[in-house]
Amino acid sequence: MALKHLIPTSHPLRIAAELQCLTIAGGQDNVMGVRYCFRKNDHVVIVMPYLEHESFLDILNSLSFEEVREYMFNLFKALRRIHHFGIVHRDVKPSNFLYNRQLKEYALVDFGLAQGTPDTKIELLRVVQSESQQEGSVHHSVQRSVFGERNFNIHSSTYQESPTIKLIKQSKVMDVASRKLATKKKIISTKAVNNGVAKKATNSCPAILTCDCYATDRVCSVCLSRRQQVAPRAGTPGFRAPEVLTKCPTQTTAIDMWSAGIIFLSLLSGRYPFYKASDDLTALAQIMTIRGSRETIQAAKTFGKSVLCTKEVPAQDLRTLCERLRGTNSSCAKSTSDMHTNSLYEPALAIETDKKVEFASQPLGEKIQHLKNNCHEGDNGLEIKITEKATDLKGWDRVPDEAYDLLDKLLDLNPATRITAKEALLHHFFKDIRQ
């Protein structure tokens, strides 16, 4: 058995919702089930079947292409199962999809961040969602700086002081009588000025004032008076979908499919983690370096978001990118094993998005021939070793176009058109795998 101890600070409703996900959706189609649950003092303990599994990072370099295909197929089976019940996992990543390589067994685990779709069959997820919405409405009343704004004038961007508050701060050194008099005069003069501005605005501006701080380093009063948009942001950095990063209030099961796409991207490129960013805006910029800035901006418009990018970044060809990173195309200077040894533990994209990912240009065949030509006669050991390294590619030299077509559909920037788990299982990439 595997025991999961839930910390005492976990909300009882959240714990109950996680248990309901496991009991209703779990136990089949690669979704972890639950055997028992009990309390030990302040801890709640969930008892689940134990699945011995390997670390994703430890096996990434040794997986064959066929194993990757089976891995993704079984992940989609698990996602199809939970999405059928209206469960959005929100934290799909390799460490939450256990894999026993010898037994070919899989298990999707950890529903601690799960939320429900509008038609979810998990009753407690509906309750959790309604409570979180109520909490969000409380936060709406608090004026805060707009998401993503870069503010040099921190004091003024956080909140706007009323003339009365400013006056009280300035008049602390005055005596009570003079303070009252100054306050009265200040309020009168402020009102007069405001009236003048209002008249001017009426003559020259429309009734609804428009923002005048767009693309600047400050936040105007119009933006400060807007309600702060609250949207779920739960998930692991590097796996969050564009609609999560831009605080889209409507988030569906499509966010799990994006996370599955990032896992597939790591498997095809041999790099994990693929993305590593310190904040949401950097993460969005990193997505642009692969999917293109124009495409990201266009997709954001479909879910009501405006994204500003300082320069245009073209979209990259997914096959070319993955083959270069993995070291299986003709433009790699190192053998596959050398490249993985040096770069497997580094993200494909660094935190600073303006750094270029440099690839060596010497073809692999030329590298091998160069080494052979420099070998002494009779030094067959080196020659045999190189030949083995070059030919033992485990199917990575024959990755079909269907793999990159599926990856492209998983990393669709528009959640409305992103492929579903049910559709992914029917994709031509899995044509000969038994359903």
Side-chain angles (χ1 to χ4, degrees):
M1 295 292 110
L3 305 180
K4 179 178 180 179
H5 287 251
L6 299 174
I7 57 173
T9 54
S10 298
H11 195 286
L13 188 60
R14 172 54 65 186
I15 295 171
E18 181 175 357
L19 277 166
Q20 200 170 54
C21 289
L22 291 167
T23 52
I24 294 176
Q28 58 181 294
D29 287 345
N30 304 324
V31 181
M32 179 59 74
V34 62
R35 293 286 177 84
Y36 190 65
C37 182
F38 63 90
R39 280 185 63 174
K40 174 70 174 175
N41 299 327
D42 291 334
H43 283 258
V44 173
V45 183
I46 301 176
V47 183
M48 296 168 285
Y50 176 68
L51 177 64
E52 189 171 347
H53 57 280
E54 288 82 7
S55 164
F56 185 79
L57 195 57
D58 291 343
I59 63 171
L60 179 60
N61 190 25
S62 60
L63 289 172
S64 67
F65 173 69
E66 187 56 35
E67 283 179 288
V68 165
R69 204 164 69 106
E70 291 173 0
Y71 180 97
M72 291 306 301
F73 180 82
N74 282 281
L75 174 57
F76 293 137
K77 273 182 71 174
L79 292 177
R80 180 184 63 182
R81 172 77 180 173
I82 66 168
H83 292 171
H84 170 74
F85 287 96
I87 301 170
V88 184
H89 189 281
R90 291 206 69 93
D91 200 18
V92 175
K93 57 183 178 180
S95 58
N96 282 340
F97 188 58
L98 310 183
Y99 172 39
N100 186 305
R101 201 173 179 186
Q102 284 188 324
L103 301 176
K104 298 287 182 184
E105 291 183 357
Y106 309 82
L108 183 64
V109 300
D110 195 355
F111 289 80
L113 297 177
Q115 71 178 67
T117 59
D119 59 345
T120 183
K121 298 174 186 177
I122 311 298
E123 186 182 342
L124 286 175
L125 286 181
R126 285 200 204 106
V127 182
V128 170
Q129 199 156 337
S130 63
E131 285 209 354
S132 64
Q133 285 171 353
Q134 287 174 3
E135 288 175 10
S137 64
V138 173
H139 292 303
H140 278 331
S141 61
V142 182
Q143 288 187 349
R144 291 157 65 188
S145 58
V146 180
F147 169 77
E149 289 286 348
R150 217 172 135 219
N151 306 313
F152 291 107
N153 190 356
I154 296 169
H155 182 71
S156 63
S157 68
T158 307
Y159 65 95
Q160 279 197 319
E161 296 174 332
S162 67
T164 313
I165 294 171
K166 284 183 180 177
L167 175 65
I168 290 170
K169 288 186 175 180
Q170 292 168 356
S171 59
K172 282 182 180 178
V173 294
M174 302 178 188
D175 58 68
V176 177
S178 59
R179 185 162 63 225
K180 285 182 179 177
L181 181 62
T183 305
K184 194 173 181 181
K185 286 180 178 178
K186 195 76 175 179
I187 290 171
I188 292 167
S189 62
T190 305
K191 282 182 180 177
V193 170
N194 288 343
N195 287 337
V197 171
K199 285 177 183 176
K200 188 177 180 181
T202 307
N203 297 330
S204 59
C205 300
I208 301 172
L209 293 174
T210 55
C211 159
D212 66 353
C213 67
Y214 181 70
T216 66
D217 56 7
R218 65 186 184 84
V219 182
C220 69
S221 58
V222 176
C223 290
L224 284 171
S225 64
R226 291 189 314 187
R227 286 183 172 183
Q228 175 74 2
Q229 189 163 45
V230 177
R233 286 184 62 254
T236 299
F239 291 90
R240 293 193 187 111
E243 61 268 32
V244 178
L245 297 172
T246 53
K247 283 191 173 181
C248 177
T250 307
Q251 297 175 19
T252 66
T253 53
I255 69 173
D256 289 343
M257 298 307 292
W258 174 274
S259 301
I262 298 297
I263 294 174
F264 197 24
L265 184 58
S266 281
L267 288 165
L268 290 174
S269 65
R271 299 297 183 91
Y272 179 75
F274 193 88
Y275 289 118
K276 189 176 182 181
S278 56
D279 57 82
D280 288 353
L281 286 181
T282 306
L284 192 64
Q286 289 185 347
I287 288 172
M288 286 184 185
T289 64
I290 304 297
R291 304 303 282 162
S293 57
R294 185 184 297 175
E295 292 82 351
T296 306
I297 292 165
Q298 191 61 40
K301 285 181 182 177
T302 63
F303 47 85
K305 294 292 178 179
S306 179
V307 177
L308 180 71
C309 190
T310 53
K311 65 177 182 178
E312 189 172 324
V313 182
Q316 293 196 44
D317 179 75
L318 293 172
R319 175 184 282 278
T320 304
L321 173 73
C322 291
E323 287 182 347
R324 281 180 173 178
L325 290 171
R326 179 168 277 279
T328 51
N329 80 337
S330 60
S331 64
C332 296
K334 298 181 179 182
S335 69
T336 307
S337 60
D338 290 339
M339 176 167 277
H340 282 301
T341 303
N342 295 332
S343 62
L344 178 64
Y345 301 98
E346 297 174 2
L349 293 180
I351 292 176
E352 296 82 14
T353 54
D354 58 344
K355 284 187 177 178
K356 294 179 181 177
V357 181
E358 295 183 357
F359 304 110
S361 57
Q362 188 180 8
L364 181 60
E366 290 181 15
K367 176 74 172 177
I368 293 170
Q369 191 60 48
H370 174 74
L371 288 170
K372 283 182 179 180
N373 292 339
N374 284 281
C375 292
H376 297 292
E377 287 188 20
D379 189 3
N380 294 325
L382 180 59
E383 186 174 332
I384 293 168
K385 187 176 179 182
I386 293 171
T387 306
E388 286 174 352
K389 288 291 182 184
T391 56
D392 187 20
L393 294 173
K394 300 180 180 179
W396 288 107
D397 56 335
R398 300 184 304 277
V399 179
D401 291 336
E402 289 85 358
Y404 296 102
D405 179 69
L406 177 58
L407 179 61
D408 182 62
K409 287 177 166 62
L410 288 167
L411 297 182
D412 186 342
L413 294 158
N414 185 353
T417 55
R418 196 174 299 150
I419 194 169
T420 65
K422 190 176 181 180
E423 291 167 346
L425 288 168
L426 298 173
H427 193 274
H428 200 60
F429 181 57
F430 302 118
K431 61 182 176 181
D432 56 346
I433 294 183
R434 186 166 51 88
Q435 296 286 328

